[in-house]
Structures are given as C-alpha cells and as structure tokens.
Amino acid sequence: AQKVTQAQTEISVVEKEDVTLDCVYETRDTTYYLFWYKQPPSGELVFLIRRNSFDEQNEISGRYSWNFQKSTSSFNFTITASQVVDSAVYFCALLEGSASKIIFGSGTRLSIRP
Amino acid sequence: DGGITQSPKYLFRKEGQNVTLSCEQNLNHDAMYWYRQDPGQGLRLIYYSQIVNDFQKGDIAEGYSVSREKKESFPLTVTSAQKNPTAFYLCASTMGFLNTEAFFGQGTRLTVV
C-alpha cells in the first residue's frame, strides 16, 4: 500500500536558519512521482517540485533544495537561509502509476520567527 | 488564464442538508480529485476521476457523492450521511500520469451549523 509519512508535525526556527523537512514514502511500484506543495494561510496549495522515481538527482531552486534517496525511501526538502515568508504548511505527496491517485502526508507546519 | 475554480469559497449549511461544491477546470486535464482537510491535519482523498463518466472512491468516500459528466467539471455533494462535514475541501486536477503536476483550486470552507 502507498503511504507518505511526515514525522515532523511542527517546526519553528529563527529567520536565516536552515531547515529540513523530512518525507518518507512507501510504495510497491517501480514507477511513481513524488511532490512537495506549500500551503500558505490562504489555503491554496502551491506546487514546488515533482520528481519521478527514475531520477534521483538532487535539485536546487534558489534557497530550496530537495534530496531524493530511493535507498531510504526519502524525499527531504531543505530551505536555506529561511525567511518569514516561508512560514506555511508543507506537504509531501506520492503518485503511483498503478493507483493513479495522489496521496499526501499529514504535513509539516513551518514557522519562521523574525 | 487556465486554472481550477472552486466555488463558493465559504459555505454554510444547516445540519441534515445536502450541499454541492463546485469544481471547474479549463486546463483540459483528464484526472480530477477531491480532498478534505481538517484543522491541523493533512489532505485525505475523497473521490477521484481519471476520465469522464468514471470515478473511484478514495479513502474517506462515505457520505459523499460525485459525478463526472463533463471533462471540465467534477462536483462534490456532501450528503446528510456525512457525520462530520465541516472541513476545508480542495479540488485538484492533473493531465495524466505522464504529466502529473497537480493543480489545486483555492478551496471551499464548509461549515455545518
């Protein structure tokens, strides 16, 4: 069965600190996609990244970086030099090819203190 | 501009009444999804549809119903059988598995009084 675990319910750091949000997934499929979404207080989910199961290359986009490791079934998200505007709930999600449905983790609420 | 539109943004209903939440997309996406989010919790899948006139139950389908008569529309009805309907509801769509960025609507906050 597919499952996404975000063990960190809430994280609070001071501005400019680096912070890593963990995501561990379970799947029996060899073909799947992983996602990260940001949910600001307005409620709408904002797409951050998609990674397919055949591409383990890490990705960096500005202050954001993602570390995908199939050996540990993890897809962690790091924010470097955090800013107050990064405060939001972040969701990790999994899409299996066989299931054709997107399953979300429970989310991590990130608070960046000035 | 292409996107997903959910309406209304806020909805109040009396207990025991059915209510229908609208979700429309003009992205020509094949797949559409409904999720429920409770305060401080993640997103749970209610129903999803891969093609017109076909849909499948998600993890918490009891008390909900959907239809997919048109590609661009996937309305969700919250029935009186749903014991705790007050929540934030999000609709999403994807082109299909090979192009799978999911676009989300702005959500509907349903309050049953």
Side-chain angles (χ1 to χ4, degrees):
Chain A
Q2 57 179 166
K3 185 179 179 181
V4 177
T5 301
Q6 294 180 256
Q8 304 151 307
T9 305
E10 292 191 38
I11 299 175
S12 180
V13 300
V14 176
E15 197 172 20
K16 297 183 184 177
E17 286 187 15
D18 299 346
V19 58
T20 295
L21 283 62
D22 298 333
C23 174
V24 175
Y25 63 93
E26 293 178 28
T27 178
R28 294 176 183 168
D29 279 18
T30 56
T31 302
Y32 54 89
Y33 282 88
L34 295 163
F35 307 82
W36 274 96
Y37 284 87
K38 175 181 180 180
Q39 186 180 41
S42 61
E44 184 175 357
L45 266 71
V46 177
F47 170 80
L48 296 178
I49 190 172
R50 175 186 71 206
R51 174 66 74 226
N52 74 57
S53 53
F54 299 109
D55 182 5
E56 284 193 75
Q57 193 170 20
N58 292 331
E59 182 159 339
I60 298 174
S61 176
R63 296 183 297 106
Y64 295 171
S65 63
W66 291 268
N67 182 274
F68 176 30
Q69 291 193 344
K70 290 177 73 172
S71 61
T72 55
S73 296
S74 65
F75 186 44
N76 297 337
F77 172 33
T78 297
I79 301 175
T80 303
S82 60
Q83 300 176 2
V84 173
V85 294
D86 295 327
S87 296
V89 180
Y90 291 84
F91 290 99
C92 181
L94 166 69
L95 170 63
E96 289 178 331
S98 61
S100 298
K101 58 181 180 178
I102 303 174
I103 298 297
F104 285 80
S106 55
T108 297
R109 180 175 300 276
L110 177 64
S111 298
I112 309 297
R113 308 189 303 274
Chain B
D1 287 339
I4 298 181
T5 301
Q6 287 186 244
S7 61
K9 190 170 184 179
Y10 298 96
L11 188 56
F12 295 87
R13 278 295 181 266
K14 290 184 179 179
E15 194 170 342
Q17 288 183 336
N18 291 357
V19 60
T20 297
L21 282 58
S22 170
C23 179
E24 303 277 333
Q25 54 98 357
N26 60 3
L27 300 164
N28 198 33
H29 282 177
D30 294 312
M32 297 187 73
Y33 306 79
W34 274 106
Y35 293 90
R36 169 180 172 142
Q37 185 178 24
D38 293 285
Q41 297 191 30
L43 280 67
R44 292 183 291 170
L45 183 63
I46 305 172
Y47 268 99
Y48 62 106
S49 168
Q50 297 299 311
I51 56 173
V52 175
N53 292 323
D54 186 46
F55 47 83
Q56 287 79 40
K57 293 181 179 180
D59 299 319
I60 56 165
E62 185 176 351
Y64 299 97
S65 66
V66 294
S67 63
R68 187 85 186 276
E69 297 176 0
K70 298 185 298 182
K71 187 176 186 178
E72 57 270 22
S73 178
F74 191 40
L76 173 74
T77 296
V78 185
T79 74
S80 57
Q82 169 50 234
K83 296 190 185 332
N84 187 17
T86 295
F88 186 56
Y89 291 88
L90 281 161
C91 179
S93 72
T94 63
M95 174 67 76
F97 184 66
L98 295 180
N99 183 1
T100 53
E101 176 186 336
F103 288 81
F104 282 82
Q106 291 189 313
T108 293
R109 191 167 300 279
L110 173 64
T111 303
V112 176
V113 296

